[in-house]
Amino acid sequence: MKRAAFRLQPVLELRRTEERAAAAAAAQAAGAAADADRRATEYETTLASAVLPRSLPAGQFLAAMTLLRTAATDAADARALATASAEQSELVRAKWTAAAQRTKGLERLRERHVSALQHAEDVAEERAVDDLVTGRHGRASAEEVPWTE
């Protein structure tokens, strides 16, 4: 007996492909967020460990303060980038979750389809066996001739 094909199989394959792509994008975004956080932490550590000498001529003091201000701006920008990368990573992860849910929904439909086909096959087999048994029972009584001697 030929089994009916699951009509949504191409859609299910597409959903699985989308889910794999979303998983890869989520992993990449998480890696980028971790790198941005690491860089921001390095900038902040470097800035915290900066020490100005006690006595500097005015020109050098002004240059050192400008350098520290620039370093502080870089650290703040790096932290803002790390925060934005983490938020972006969460959005990409949410897209992955949504893709996985769509795939799971189609997989459940496929499982129900296979289950319904199996149930139909079981019912047909049971009906065939019942017909075979009841048919023989009916023929046995009609064809049976009592033995006489």
Side-chain angles (χ1 to χ4, degrees), residues 12 14-19 98-108:
L12 177 59
L14 177 65
R15 294 286 188 241
R16 285 178 178 157
T17 301
E18 287 175 351
E19 182 183 355
Q101 289 172 342
R102 287 190 303 269
T103 301
K104 188 65 176 172
L106 278 173
E107 286 174 344
R108 281 193 212 113

Side-chain angles (χ1 to χ4, degrees), residues 4 29 45 54-55 78 81-82 97 117 120 133:
T45 303
R54 290 196 182 266
S55 64
L81 179 64
T97 301
L117 287 177
V133 169

